[in-house]
Amino acid sequence: MIIGGMKQQVVANIERDAAAGQFNAKVEVADPTLTKPQQQDLLRQYLARRDTLTYRVNNHVSRRVANLATRYFNRRTEIHGLANLQGVTGGAIVTSNHFNPLDNTVVRKTMRAAGRKRLFIVSRDTNLEMGGLIGYLMTYYDTIPISDDKEYAGRVFPQLVEQVLANQQLLLIYPEQEMWFNYRKPRPVKRGAYYYAAKFGVPVVSCFVEIRDLPRVDNAEFDQTRYVMHVLPTIYPDPQLSVRENSRRMMATDYQQKKAAYETAYGKPLTYRAEPDDIAGWRGDQQSLAIGPSKTV
């Protein structure tokens, strides 16, 4: 599903940042922006809202809406490797590639298929400012905002993460950070998700979503796509290692698993050389995906 209008500039931004090795850069062009006071006020509202009856009612409604959306948007989604979730019974951090505002529904479908009915999601604080149905879900669903506000990031956010994991729930963190629309390739990951897994002694549920083109037009720039979820071997912290050592080991293992899954799914080595099929379903100006120097990881 195409969300957010035309993507010509987004595709150009992806090509530019991939060539520069800036794999965690923001490429979307219409995301909300906040001043520091606006950011702090938004976070205060979020924290105050969580303890109200209004929030609890809307949280229940939003989870039902999210489940309906999950079934609708994943009518054609396949799930491979579900057996890798058999040993995950308590709290865990889930990681996946981030390529669509609704790609969390692929993860949610997978976790529900494994018998896990609830999935919390870490999302940028600016997403709380989105409008429409997506904005409603961002506000009232099981979302934990991440922010660069130092007080919130250093004190409040870790407490919220710990609470979710202590309650034996799953928490989805996108280690690529920013969304790159319909980008097929797994990008190098940042350490945050693995730091919290190591700090709180929980496993990492490693996932990679393959995107397959369909011979149906979606809009002026894209054909429709469908998804194949690959659940990869779960990564457990080593009790003999420090938090730092564990986080680095888990991060490296997760990236290599995603890399291997990409290479198996698409039948070619992972490089970050720009190729016309990097953007799934793309029918726009193919010249925007100019071939650049090859880079492998």
Side-chain angles (χ1 to χ4, degrees):
M1 180 178 179
I2 309 302
I3 294 176
M6 305 300 278
K7 297 294 183 181
Q8 180 72 45
Q9 185 59 54
V10 171
V11 171
N13 290 346
I14 289 173
E15 188 256 339
R16 176 201 66 204
D17 289 334
Q22 301 296 320
F23 297 107
N24 312 110
K26 179 181 285 293
V27 298
E28 291 291 321
V29 296
D31 283 356
T33 57
L34 300 171
T35 65
K36 195 69 173 179
Q38 288 173 329
Q39 182 184 59
Q40 292 173 341
D41 187 55
L42 190 69
L43 293 170
R44 281 194 294 268
Q45 290 180 38
Y46 165 80
L47 294 171
R49 186 188 301 121
R50 283 168 54 90
D51 295 326
T52 66
L53 176 60
T54 298
Y55 179 85
R56 289 194 292 271
V57 170
N58 280 282
N59 176 256
H60 178 74
V61 171
S62 69
R63 282 191 278 127
R64 297 196 60 168
V65 171
N67 289 336
L68 290 172
T70 294
R71 287 195 290 271
Y72 177 78
F73 290 121
N74 292 279
R75 303 185 302 281
R76 305 183 186 95
T77 295
E78 299 176 29
I79 302 173
H80 297 172
L82 201 60
N84 285 320
L85 287 172
Q86 287 181 352
V88 182
T89 56
I93 287 177
V94 184
T95 67
S96 187
N97 47 322
H98 192 19
F99 56 86
N100 189 288
L102 297 175
D103 58 25
N104 63 81
T105 66
V106 184
V107 180
R108 187 181 295 109
K109 175 184 174 72
T110 303
M111 299 305 129
R112 290 180 67 82
R116 304 298 295 265
K117 302 303 183 184
R118 201 165 182 180
L119 176 70
F120 288 76
I121 302 171
V122 170
S123 180
R124 290 298 307 178
D125 52 7
T126 52
N127 289 334
L128 295 172
E129 287 287 275
M130 296 178 68
L133 177 60
I134 300 298
Y136 174 80
L137 293 176
M138 289 293 179
T139 300
Y140 289 110
Y141 183 71
D142 293 328
T143 301
I144 298 178
I146 185 70
S147 174
D148 56 10
D149 179 80
K150 292 182 179 179
E151 170 67 14
Y152 175 86
R155 183 178 63 84
V156 180
F157 180 78
Q159 293 174 356
L160 296 174
V161 170
E162 183 178 21
Q163 181 181 17
V164 169
L165 298 174
N167 287 333
Q168 311 293 298
Q169 300 292 348
L170 301 177
L171 178 63
L172 172 60
I173 301 179
Y174 291 109
E176 298 172 338
Q177 293 188 340
E178 297 294 339
M179 180 190 75
W180 282 21
F181 193 82
N182 273 25
Y183 190 68
R184 297 185 197 269
K185 297 175 178 177
R187 292 175 275 141
V189 297
K190 306 293 279 186
R191 195 161 64 101
Y194 315 98
Y195 166 78
Y196 288 113
K199 178 178 176 63
F200 297 121
V202 299
V204 170
V205 174
S206 177
C207 299
F208 174 72
V209 181
E210 173 190 354
I211 314 173
R212 294 184 181 177
D213 297 345
L214 294 174
R216 304 185 185 95
V217 172
D218 195 318
N219 72 357
E221 294 180 325
F222 286 89
D223 288 333
Q224 294 180 22
T225 59
R226 71 179 184 91
Y227 306 129
V228 180
M229 165 62 88
H230 299 274
V231 183
L232 310 174
T234 300
I235 306 165
Y236 291 88
D238 184 340
Q240 302 303 315
L241 298 179
S242 67
V243 169
R244 179 182 176 85
E245 291 169 332
N246 259 319
S247 64
R248 291 187 177 277
R249 179 187 64 84
M250 297 169 87
M251 177 177 69
T253 300
D254 193 29
Y255 176 73
Q256 289 302 319
Q257 289 189 172
K258 288 173 167 56
K259 177 178 181 288
Y262 169 88
E263 293 177 339
T264 299
Y266 295 106
K268 60 181 180 180
L270 173 63
T271 76
Y272 293 105
R273 178 179 180 176
E275 299 170 317
D277 66 347
D278 281 353
I279 311 299
W282 177 246
R283 291 195 334 275
D285 180 8
Q286 297 291 350
Q287 292 183 355
S288 68
L289 290 173
I291 301 301
S294 177
K295 179 177 180 181
T296 59
V297 174

